[in-house]
Amino acid sequence: MASEENATVVEFKHQVNEARGEVRLVIDDVELVLAAEIGRLSAVSSRLQCKSLNDLFLRLSGVEAAATLAGIELLTVKGNALAAITKIKLKHFPACAAAFSAILAHHFEDDEGNVEAADKAA
């Protein structure tokens, strides 16, 4: 019971729509909500000159500095991305990688593809 009384309740400013694939990322005192919308992913891919979705995924989840900053800037749907970028430090990169991986994974969960088209092509 004592641990329940001492538990800190964290109040978040922004709602996260997990059904849409949104993920919360907090950098110091800056709260962001990220989403891997196709237009946003395209912008990140173009900025980083990625040749494939796999390349984009590896660069975002691999905490490459340029990819991390581009991801924060272009995948933020709620919150102040610029404020987060000005406060980011290397200690935040693992949380960024986890957030990027989570939003990208949302696109691939339960995705069996078009089995009928694959069968016709084979």
Side-chain angles (χ1 to χ4, degrees):
M1 185 77 174
S3 63
E4 290 178 17
E5 292 173 5
N6 294 332
T8 304
V9 176
V10 178
E11 295 281 331
F12 290 111
K13 182 177 181 180
H14 303 294
Q15 294 291 326
V16 174
N17 183 348
E18 292 177 3
R20 191 173 97 85
E22 294 179 352
V23 172
R24 184 179 327 278
L25 174 63
V26 178
I27 297 175
D28 284 344
D29 62 342
V30 181
E31 177 191 348
L32 305 173
V33 176
L34 308 177
E37 298 167 339
I38 297 301
R40 293 174 182 279
L41 287 173
S42 177
V44 175
S45 181
S46 293
R47 178 169 302 169
L48 299 174
Q49 300 179 348
C50 294
K51 302 299 180 202
S52 67
L53 184 57
N54 188 51
D55 185 24
L56 176 62
F57 180 84
L58 290 174
R59 292 182 72 183
L60 284 172
S61 62
V63 293
E64 178 185 320
T68 299
L69 296 182
I72 290 170
E73 178 186 348
L74 299 169
L75 299 176
T76 296
V77 294
K78 297 176 190 166
N80 188 337
L82 183 57
I85 288 170
T86 61
K87 293 183 177 203
I88 196 165
K89 295 182 175 38
L90 290 177
K91 69 179 183 177
H92 299 115
F93 277 46
C96 293
F100 295 144
S101 294
I103 61 174
L104 291 169
H106 177 76
H107 284 283
F108 298 106
E109 290 177 357
D110 300 326
D111 185 9
E112 296 177 9
N114 188 341
V115 177
E116 186 178 314
D119 288 342
K120 286 180 182 177

